Amino acid sequence: EEAAAPEPEPEGPFVPRYVWARQLFTEHEVTPAADVELVWKKPDEAALREFLIGRMGFNAERVEGALKKLNAAQGQRTQRRLDSFFKVLPKPAGAGAKKRKAEPAKKPAAKKKAAPKRPAP
């Protein structure tokens, strides 16, 4: 076997790996939205099976079940609106009469006399 060539020394000051990792998130490449066109088509089931089962080792039965669910969901609405989960109920008649009456103001408690101080032992 041939010995691996030594890695070249980086030029400039030492930069820790976490700085490089942070730059992956803060200074990443961005494709303008105008340059991207998304088209939803029917999935390529044969390619999915080959990738998931053949290359990645997934269970064939589970992949088949997931593909059936994917095909069933293909023609359905994508997402429901948030307000469809809640119903506004009308207030029942006489709902305002059930409120409690304001309690009468209480008299302030009488001040207690302080206990006489004992001399320290």
Side-chain angles (χ1 to χ4, degrees):
E1 289 182 28
E2 195 174 292
E7 292 186 23
E9 289 293 322
E11 295 181 22
F14 171 75
V15 178
R17 287 184 183 222
Y18 73 89
V19 173
W20 174 77
R22 182 181 295 139
Q23 287 175 343
L24 286 175
F25 290 96
T26 59
E27 301 172 15
H28 51 75
E29 295 180 24
V30 177
T31 303
D35 296 349
V36 177
E37 183 180 339
L38 296 177
V39 179
W40 299 106
K41 300 183 225 174
K42 189 173 179 176
D44 183 359
E45 292 184 32
L48 276 172
R49 280 188 195 95
E50 190 275 322
F51 176 73
L52 293 174
I53 299 169
R55 290 182 57 196
M56 302 306 290
F58 280 63
N59 183 324
E61 292 176 10
R62 295 186 73 180
V63 170
E64 291 301 324
L67 286 174
K68 286 179 186 176
K69 288 180 186 178
L70 184 63
N71 285 330
Q74 193 70 23
Q76 295 179 354
R77 277 182 27 195
T78 55
Q79 194 171 12
R80 293 174 58 186
R81 291 176 49 104
L82 185 61
D83 60 358
S84 69
F85 290 95
F86 305 102
K87 293 180 182 177
V88 178
L89 300 175
K91 291 185 179 182
K98 291 184 180 180
K99 290 186 178 179
R100 293 190 312 178
K101 293 181 181 178
E103 294 181 18
K106 294 183 178 180
K107 294 180 183 177
K111 292 186 179 181
K112 294 182 181 179
K113 290 185 179 180
K117 294 186 179 182
R118 294 185 190 172

